[in-house]
Amino acid sequence: MPLTAKLLVGVVVCALVLTLADRCAVLYAEREAAERLRADLDLAAAPEVEIHGFPFLTQVAQQRVDRVDVTVPDVAADRVSLARVHATAEDIELSGDSPAAIDGALVGALRGDVLLSFDDLGRELGASQVRYRKLDDTAVRADGTVPVAGQMLRVRADARLQRDGGRGVSTRISNMLLDVPEVASYRPGPGAGLRLHRPAAERIVRDAAKARALLSVPAIADRIGVPQRRIDQALRSDARLTELVGSPRFVQLLMGVNLVDVVRDHPWLLEKLGLDPKLLTALTALRLPELSERLALSFHLPEQARDVRLRDVAVRADGIHARLTGNGLPFGAARER
């Protein structure tokens, strides 16, 4: 074989050996970096780490890596877990002069994104019957069922997102409504309201005994806005009662009456209206802050990532998204110095 060919083969073989050694060093460094991140951030599992740039050993010799991508599933973030955290670290200063001796790093700049998935929220919050979806770019709609006094009631509420100190997201719960199917809806909190659904109101006006029981309560008569003279006539005459309650307008008026304090003062009226007295007692005993806490989507980045900040929090179809930013972030031995 000519000398030139031998030299060419030798160069190719050396290049292949060096490339293989470099890639082996990268794989080793990626595995070690993943384990170090898992320990530093107290993760349940090691993240995926991908080190960019070639050759890697030259970067190690210079103690500087251009770029590293990190993907972490299921990061504990207060009451919930972030379904996915992806970050790109750039301009990384290494501590150690060989892949086996690297014990820390100082990240010049970190950019990334996090996802709090709607699919995981019911399980995470211990309310598996509640589902979450996008309401708009800054709010989430919670919709499902919750147990109250042995019954499953439909619950609906809106959770408006707001930044919390740059490292977390809190929610303000509003428009909460608890629904007794085909009977009534209860709105907790200041100015609590209990209002009949149309099917319940129509059942009452079709039943003369129930209609008379309802009209015999002065507070209800006042709120419906019917003159007392007509009420008295309806209580004495079936024909006048049918005339009064038989119109669609009366059903609409009845649905608009807030019954909270009325049934509290006249508990016997509950059974007439088709409501379980125990259920109303349980509903009125509910406190809005406690209900809001059960549905809150608030989360904070773990303390171990105290130098990272959240930006551009937004609601999308699959969950709550936010950007991650950070500069001058120490890891491993660099954090201790």
Side-chain angles (χ1 to χ4, degrees), residues 27-336:
L27 293 174
Y28 176 84
E30 288 175 344
R31 186 172 64 251
E32 290 297 305
E35 286 301 320
R36 174 66 70 173
L37 285 171
R38 184 192 64 78
D40 275 8
L41 300 180
D42 193 24
L43 302 174
E48 297 178 12
V49 176
E50 182 179 3
I51 299 175
H52 295 266
F54 180 82
F56 171 65
L57 290 174
T58 301
Q59 297 183 78
V60 173
Q62 297 173 346
Q63 293 189 314
R64 188 171 294 276
V65 173
D66 293 334
R67 174 184 160 195
V68 176
D69 288 340
V70 180
T71 301
V72 189
D74 296 327
V75 178
D78 202 5
R79 296 181 64 230
V80 296
S81 293
L82 301 173
R84 186 195 70 236
V85 177
H86 176 77
T88 296
E90 298 177 325
D91 190 20
I92 305 158
E93 182 180 336
L94 301 177
S95 174
D97 54 8
S98 72
I102 294 174
D103 58 3
L106 181 65
V107 176
L110 182 140
R111 303 290 181 270
D113 60 83
V114 300
L115 167 65
L116 178 60
S117 171
F118 288 150
D119 290 340
D120 296 335
L121 279 174
R123 171 178 52 82
E124 294 280 351
L125 296 176
S128 59
Q129 300 302 315
V130 177
R131 295 292 177 264
Y132 299 86
R133 60 181 174 84
K134 177 179 178 179
L135 183 62
D136 57 43
D137 289 345
T138 63
V140 172
R141 166 65 54 83
D143 201 338
T145 57
V146 294
V148 178
Q151 295 191 40
M152 296 302 294
L153 305 187
R154 182 181 176 186
V155 61
R156 188 189 71 195
D158 299 337
R160 185 71 55 182
L161 304 183
Q162 50 196 11
R163 292 263 304 279
D164 186 1
R167 290 181 34 77
V169 173
S170 61
T171 49
R172 179 173 54 84
I173 303 295
S174 62
N175 299 327
M176 184 178 292
L177 197 67
L178 292 162
D179 188 75
V180 185
E182 303 225 335
V183 179
S185 293
Y186 178 72
R187 192 177 297 279
L194 177 69
R195 288 178 168 81
L196 293 173
H197 291 325
R198 180 174 293 278
E202 290 176 343
R203 284 196 298 270
I204 289 171
V205 300
R206 288 196 300 266
D207 188 315
K210 289 183 177 180
R212 280 197 170 89
L214 193 72
L215 293 173
S216 67
V217 178
I220 291 181
D222 290 342
R223 294 176 192 189
I224 292 175
V226 177
Q228 187 61 47
R229 176 180 55 80
R230 292 195 64 192
I231 296 291
D232 293 339
Q233 291 173 348
L235 292 175
R236 293 192 300 265
S237 166
D238 289 344
R240 292 299 178 89
L241 178 65
T242 301
E243 178 186 340
L244 176 61
V245 303
S247 69
R249 183 173 179 274
F250 185 87
V251 170
Q252 197 67 36
L253 290 172
L254 188 55
M255 292 169 58
V257 174
N258 185 357
L259 298 171
V260 167
D261 53 350
V262 175
V263 295
R264 187 183 296 121
D265 295 336
H266 305 277
W268 55 268
L269 190 59
L270 286 171
E271 293 185 12
K272 292 287 186 180
L273 299 179
L275 275 170
D276 182 355
K278 293 180 180 178
L279 177 60
L280 183 68
T281 301
L283 284 173
T284 54
L286 291 173
R287 296 293 176 262
L288 187 57
E290 296 170 4
L291 282 170
S292 298
E293 180 65 20
R294 291 170 64 179
L295 300 175
L297 311 178
S298 305
F299 66 91
H300 288 78
L301 294 175
E303 179 59 28
Q304 295 89 340
R306 57 182 175 272
D307 299 314
V308 180
R309 295 291 180 269
L310 290 170
R311 303 279 189 268
D312 301 333
V313 179
V315 182
R316 298 178 187 168
D318 58 344
I320 301 170
H321 290 251
R323 285 196 307 115
L324 290 175
T325 63
N327 294 283
L329 309 177
F331 290 92
R335 182 185 294 274
E336 300 169 4

Side-chain angles (χ1 to χ4, degrees), residues 1-12:
M1 181 180 295
L3 180 59
T4 302
K6 291 180 179 180
L7 290 174
L8 181 59
V9 170
V11 169
V12 171

